[in-house]
Amino acid sequence: MDVSLLTSLWVALPLLSSPVIYLIGRLTVRRTPHKANPAGWLAVAALAIDAILLALTVDANNKGIATAFKFGDVVMRADGISFVLGGSAVLLGLLVTIFSLQYMAGEEGEEKYYALLTAMIGTIVGLGCTRDLFNLWVWFEAMAITSYMLVAFYREQPASLEAGIKYLVQSAVGSTLVLLGIALVFASTGSLDLDHIMLVTQSGSTLLLAAGALFLIGFGVKAALVPMHTWLPDAHSMAPSGISAMLSGVVIEAGLVALLRVMGAISGSSLAWGWLLLGFGLLNMTLGNLLALRQTQVKRLLAFSSISHVGYMLVGLGLAVTYGLHDGAAGAFFHLITHALMKGLAFLAVGALMYGLYLANHKHDALMVDDLNGASKRYPLAVFGLSIAVLGLGGLPPLAGFMSKWQIFVAGAEAQSTAALVIVIYMALNSVLSLGYYAPLVNRMYRKEPSPVILTGKRIGWQISLPLVLLTAAVILLGVYPTALSWLTDTAATSLLALFGAI
Amino acid sequence: MSLASIIILVILGLVGIGLYALLITRNLIKVVIGLQMMVKGAILALVLAGRLSGQVNLGQSLALTVVVADTIVAVIALALAVQIRRHCGTLDLNDLATLRR
Amino acid sequence: MVYAVGAGAIYAAQFHLLSHSIFKALLFLGAGAVIHSVGTRDMRLMGGLGKQMPLVRTVFVIGALALAGIPILNGFWSKELVLEGGLANGPLWMYILMVSGAGLTAFYTCRMVSMVFFGEPRTHLHGHDAGTAMKIALIPLAFGALTSWLLAGPFSHLLGEESLPFHGVHTLTTLHILEEIISIPTLIALLVVALGLLAWWQRGRLGWMAKAFNWLGWSAEHSFGFEAINHAIVNGTQATGEGLRVTQTGQLNWNVMGILIGLLAVLATLIIFGLGA
């Protein structure tokens, strides 16, 4: 098949299947209200086909060397970054959908959930491939809209509504700032094509600097840069667990990728961008870890840890931009992938426990850290998955998280500058600090006596177990064979340096 | 004063008032209105940018796209407000601060 | 070992690594057997255990003597080789430091052995003898500590030709190596080791010295203050984490304020540093 058509299909399939899923699900529920909703299985099928399309597309595109393709009338481009982001979204999305088959079963408006989830995956894939400033905003806004509705999916729960409205307002302020930035760039260059903008902005101008600041903050809200991160713990802890996994695993990273794309285009205007990324990275790491330290809700703890992990990616990217280091970018993208796997696994495992302890008993309580006591006795699989995930997030070898952090450390050492070395040491100290809240979780689950709520927990089915098993295996295998993905992270790093005009 | 600088003032005014509303109002509906004002400023900015760079059509089509997206956001925000009024019994942001720390 | 590598005596370092791995494994397993038997890790509570666990005592003494660098045990040969390499290629003051270290090692090893296995039982702790499995593990190690130095020649062969061909490790016969070890510096080192042992023997008369070093013992007991620093750091971090939670107000107005603050901060940074491109 034609490469262009194949790549377009990969982007379009989730978007096209979304309304079909909704309609079929809705009609079935109307006709036969007591039968199981087919929407979930349709979404699984659509995403599985999309995953196959992904594999074919990667193969047809010479494993991620940038190729332009026409999506309708719009020219887009699939490069290494597109495949890192789009691939994570589709694969994690598929697992989340399978997970949700049981987790969301019987919820009101199940078909909406699946339709929105597939649409969100489609918009993330599209976001990764765009090369036009305004199209980037459209994809970004479409992703945001689907995620608002998914965060506030439990519309009977006050807490989930509150999280939803906060997320919406903050995110909307961010995207308005991005629009203002677009207007500034458009006014000063007369172009919206990112490549063209990069060519004509080799000199600094105040307008472009202001636009850059607006982009950094606007996309930064979505990417949860401190101090724009305040929506994240609320949204991640109150969304359905599958959505928490998607938000943390790919949506905040999509904000990061959008930021990188526009920042690359205007990178000629100043030398400070790389340092700004480094600064935000350090801030994110510190605050995320410190705030996670004393949390009592498990999902909130994981949400704060996401903030700190965005910090690691930012440091890797900042090193790449500041010092032109290929390894920094490759490490950051590798960390993006491993973080998607580990955080996806963590949220799904916590979701499994929540399902067993609360949802199956028709309760919507938040899972507290104390509820985990002795959970290994009753939920060995979910607890093992959660342990692997948090230890990997803490950077324990030989798990995937260690390898990706290590690659970023190596990049810092390669920079051969005192500042970079100090940053690397600070990162390592932060990893140690993060073990201060990950390790007690594991200890609690395996060594304490089971809490009463554990003993009354319900069983979890294969739909929940299967994604956990696959993700656990992936986290361990990527730790043992970290080079398995270097073909992808290397091409993504090359794409990034090309975006910033370093090649 | 040229037309462009008047429009720039209007844009700054709209965005500024919107942001100010977001910072001080406690009523959720007013917050949504503030948000809308900010976005309207941004839409105006896009039209102006199109005019300044000599691509009036492109600028206006961007503005229209933003209007569509922005309407969807406003609708969702208001729908959420309705649900919040129903289930939380309040639209005061001070009472909508249960998720904290 | 690190000293030897630094002084360029690669072979000595590797050989000491081999010896060390044998006698330290022996000592740790022996210590494990003792701890398992009496149920405490505090040496001050032990004593006179030699009568209850004779085999463990014998092998432990072998290991300890090897660690102290007493002749014919493997620790002696390799340690001397390290010290000689250091004397030949390193500065003198470092050599003196290392030799004094060797003396100190002999001293504390003696103290440990006599405290645990000899003398009168200090408490009512009564250890049972080690199990058969433990004994089976200990005996070959003790044998190794006695004899592994005989492998010096083959070991150099192995290193020189196969593992580290670029380091210029000469392949020598065992006899040659042993001849090289027996020399004047060796005697000096032995003398210091003997001094260490003597110091233990005559410890009653060295009371003034013990008093002089009292503060060192005290600070060693308190982990040289690291424990306290550790506590302070952990508590401080926890308190900071708790304190920072206030910033997560949950108020939407404040959250939007965060966005504004971020924007202003970035603009300020760009104005100060960014215009220089």
Side-chain angles (χ1 to χ4, degrees):
Chain A
M1 210 187 325
D2 177 33
V3 181
S4 179
L5 182 64
L6 192 63
T7 321
S8 313
L9 264 183
W10 171 52
V11 180
L13 183 72
L15 295 172
L16 294 177
S17 56
S18 167
V20 177
I21 290 169
Y22 178 74
L23 280 177
I24 294 182
R26 189 82 211 128
L27 290 177
T28 322
V29 170
R30 278 232 180 129
R31 291 240 178 86
T32 49
H34 298 294
K35 272 179 77 178
N37 200 322
W41 283 105
L42 285 172
V44 170
L47 289 173
I49 297 172
D50 207 42
I52 295 168
L53 283 176
L54 166 72
L56 293 175
T57 313
V58 170
D59 202 43
N61 280 316
N62 297 322
K63 297 204 161 182
I65 310 300
T67 348
F69 66 97
K70 286 195 87 172
F71 185 70
D73 284 338
V74 184
V75 180
M76 294 173 79
R77 182 178 51 204
D79 59 10
I81 302 178
S82 320
F83 289 123
V84 167
L85 184 68
S88 312
V90 171
L91 295 178
L92 187 61
L94 177 60
L95 294 178
V96 164
T97 319
I98 298 173
F99 175 89
S100 304
L101 288 178
Q102 183 177 17
Y103 190 85
M104 299 305 288
E107 291 287 343
E108 198 196 336
E110 219 184 322
E111 66 281 352
K112 270 183 237 161
Y113 174 85
Y114 291 108
L116 287 168
L117 181 57
T118 38
M120 184 167 85
I121 292 164
T123 54
I124 295 172
V125 173
L127 172 69
C129 296
T130 183
R131 46 172 261 182
D132 178 286
L133 186 53
F134 189 73
N135 283 351
L136 183 75
W137 181 85
V138 174
W139 286 113
F140 182 77
E141 191 68 5
M143 174 187 85
I145 289 170
T146 51
S147 62
Y148 301 149
M149 292 195 267
L150 284 169
V151 165
F153 184 76
Y154 294 130
R155 52 182 189 166
E156 316 272 298
Q157 301 297 322
S160 130
L161 290 171
E162 182 191 328
I165 194 76
K166 281 184 195 166
Y167 176 39
L168 185 144
V169 171
Q170 279 175 266
S171 198
V173 172
S175 63
T176 311
L177 296 181
V178 171
L179 270 182
L180 289 171
I182 291 174
L184 287 179
V185 171
F186 187 35
S188 59
T189 64
S191 171
L192 289 169
D193 184 88
L194 290 172
D195 295 347
H196 186 249
I197 294 172
M198 190 178 86
L199 286 179
V200 297
T201 55
Q202 289 308 319
S203 61
S205 92
T206 325
L207 273 188
L208 282 176
L209 282 184
L214 288 167
F215 289 143
L216 184 58
I217 298 302
F219 288 122
V221 173
K222 202 63 161 199
L225 307 189
V226 173
M228 291 82 78
H229 66 284
T230 37
W231 61 271
L232 185 141
D234 302 351
H236 284 206
S237 60
M238 286 308 146
S241 292
I243 300 309
S244 311
M246 286 303 284
L247 284 180
S248 186
V250 280
V251 173
I252 53 179
E253 283 79 359
L256 207 55
V257 166
L259 175 62
L260 289 174
R261 291 228 183 253
V262 291
M263 203 174 246
I266 56 163
S267 59
S269 59
S270 168
L271 291 177
W273 301 123
W275 286 106
L276 276 171
L277 289 181
L278 283 174
F280 273 114
L282 295 179
L283 203 59
N284 263 43
M285 244 186 266
T286 317
L287 203 81
N289 278 332
L290 283 175
L291 282 172
L293 209 54
R294 306 279 296 172
Q295 293 300 323
T296 50
Q297 284 181 26
V298 184
K299 280 175 89 172
R300 223 171 151 77
L301 185 151
L302 290 175
F304 279 113
S305 120
S306 295
I307 295 178
S308 77
H309 279 271
V310 170
Y312 288 106
M313 291 173 223
L314 281 172
V315 167
L317 296 167
L319 287 171
V321 172
T322 312
Y323 298 101
L325 284 172
H326 185 273
D327 270 359
F333 286 120
F334 189 34
H335 196 64
L336 196 157
I337 297 172
T338 57
H339 177 252
L341 294 173
M342 295 183 297
K343 204 44 86 56
L345 173 58
F347 271 117
L348 292 190
V350 169
L353 293 173
M354 266 180 91
Y355 180 80
L357 301 185
Y358 293 119
L359 285 182
N361 293 331
H362 303 287
K363 280 194 282 188
H364 271 278
D365 299 19
L367 190 72
M368 308 304 279
V369 172
D370 287 335
D371 295 345
L372 291 178
N373 287 356
S376 66
K377 306 274 188 310
R378 202 170 163 81
Y379 300 102
L381 180 73
V383 164
F384 182 69
L386 183 55
S387 307
I388 290 292
V390 293
L391 292 179
L393 288 167
L396 236 61
L399 298 170
F402 168 75
M403 293 302 165
S404 47
K405 280 184 185 174
W406 181 251
Q407 202 173 355
I408 299 174
F409 291 171
V410 169
E414 275 173 9
Q416 305 214 334
S417 92
T418 321
L421 271 184
V422 170
I423 289 173
V424 165
I425 292 169
Y426 188 71
M427 272 173 81
L429 285 177
N430 257 293
S431 273
V432 176
L433 173 58
S434 71
L435 277 177
Y437 52 88
Y438 293 133
L441 283 185
V442 180
N443 182 43
R444 197 178 270 284
M445 291 188 292
Y446 279 103
R447 300 191 50 190
K448 292 217 171 167
E449 284 302 306
S451 53
V453 69
I454 291 283
L455 294 174
T456 55
K458 293 273 195 305
R459 297 226 148 268
I460 52 177
W462 70 269
Q463 298 97 323
I464 288 182
S465 306
L466 178 68
L468 294 184
V469 171
L470 291 177
L471 283 169
T472 312
V475 171
I476 296 173
L477 284 179
L478 264 188
V480 182
Y481 303 106
T483 47
L485 280 179
S486 52
W487 58 271
L488 180 57
T489 51
D490 279 344
T491 42
T494 313
S495 311
L496 181 86
L497 293 182
L499 279 186
F500 279 81
I503 289 176
Chain B
M1 213 180 202
S2 71
L3 182 63
S5 38
I6 293 173
I7 294 179
I8 288 175
L9 279 183
V10 174
I11 293 168
L12 288 179
L14 280 171
V15 173
I17 294 169
L19 204 54
Y20 183 69
L22 286 175
L23 288 176
I24 62 143
T25 52
R26 294 212 206 115
N27 187 305
L28 197 51
I29 304 293
K30 287 182 187 164
V31 163
V32 176
I33 294 173
L35 204 57
Q36 284 297 301
M37 289 184 74
M38 275 186 80
V39 181
K40 296 303 171 291
I43 291 170
L44 210 52
L46 281 175
V47 176
L48 180 66
R51 191 187 150 88
L52 289 180
S53 62
Q55 290 167 295
V56 182
N57 290 342
L58 183 55
Q60 287 181 359
S61 59
L62 299 188
L64 274 177
T65 319
V66 177
V67 168
V68 173
D70 161 52
T71 312
I72 300 174
V73 174
V75 167
I76 295 173
L78 290 173
L80 276 178
V82 170
Q83 294 288 348
I84 286 173
R85 182 77 183 79
R86 225 176 250 166
H87 294 288
C88 309
T90 175
L91 283 175
D92 191 331
L93 287 181
N94 277 352
D95 302 331
L96 290 175
T98 55
L99 302 171
R100 48 205 285 254
R101 289 169 76 76
Chain C
M1 285 177 235
V2 177
Y3 172 62
V5 173
I10 308 274
Y11 172 70
Q14 296 296 327
F15 189 45
H16 191 53
L17 190 136
L18 176 74
S19 309
H20 178 261
S21 66
I22 293 172
F23 67 69
K24 200 46 80 63
L26 171 63
L27 285 172
F28 267 116
L29 289 182
V34 171
I35 291 167
H36 178 77
S37 147
V38 298
T40 173
R41 283 159 200 256
D42 195 336
M43 293 200 303
R44 283 165 294 190
L45 302 179
M46 302 174 185
L49 288 175
K51 282 177 202 135
Q52 288 153 21
M53 27 200 342
L55 183 109
V56 174
R57 176 194 62 193
T58 315
V59 296
F60 201 88
V61 167
I62 292 175
L65 292 179
L67 174 66
I70 304 298
I72 84 146
L73 290 157
N74 64 357
F76 163 73
W77 300 106
S78 56
K79 206 185 255 184
E80 293 314 321
L81 208 54
V82 166
L83 289 174
E84 247 167 70
L87 182 63
N89 301 315
L92 188 65
W93 62 267
M94 219 179 238
Y95 173 75
I96 292 173
L97 213 63
M98 293 305 287
V99 173
S100 333
L104 207 60
T105 310
F107 177 78
Y108 73 70
T109 317
C110 250
R111 172 174 174 269
M112 168 176 75
V113 170
S114 70
M115 248 174 117
V116 174
F117 291 104
F118 299 97
E120 291 304 308
R122 281 186 195 76
T123 54
H124 58 280
L125 281 174
H126 280 287
H128 52 86
D129 201 2
T132 322
M134 284 185 182
K135 285 179 184 166
I136 290 175
L138 286 170
I139 289 170
L141 284 171
F143 183 71
L146 278 169
T147 55
S148 79
W149 52 277
L150 290 170
L151 295 173
F155 190 66
S156 79
H157 196 69
L158 189 72
L159 274 186
E161 280 175 10
E162 278 156 31
S163 309
L164 300 165
F166 303 112
H167 288 285
V169 175
H170 300 292
T171 55
L172 301 164
T173 61
T174 305
L175 200 63
H176 194 110
I177 293 170
L178 297 187
E179 270 172 9
E180 197 171 296
I181 291 174
I182 313 250
S183 59
I184 306 242
T186 308
L187 296 179
I188 297 175
L190 266 180
L191 202 66
V192 176
V193 169
L195 259 176
L197 294 180
L198 197 69
W200 170 246
W201 199 253
Q202 296 292 325
R203 60 190 180 281
R205 296 199 192 156
L206 291 176
W208 59 272
M209 218 170 164
K211 263 179 205 147
F213 282 110
N214 237 352
W215 61 272
L216 202 64
W218 178 85
S219 52
E221 209 153 89
H222 293 80
S223 317
F224 296 101
F226 286 123
E227 196 85 351
I229 295 174
N230 214 356
H231 266 287
I233 290 177
V234 169
N235 291 340
T237 318
Q238 296 270 4
T240 320
E242 186 65 42
L244 276 174
R245 289 179 71 189
V246 179
T247 59
Q248 192 76 23
T249 55
Q251 291 268 8
L252 188 53
N253 300 134
W254 275 107
N255 295 359
V256 177
M257 185 61 123
I259 299 177
L260 190 63
I261 292 172
L263 183 61
L264 294 178
V266 168
L267 281 175
T269 317
L270 283 174
I271 288 168
I272 299 168
F273 301 108
L275 291 171

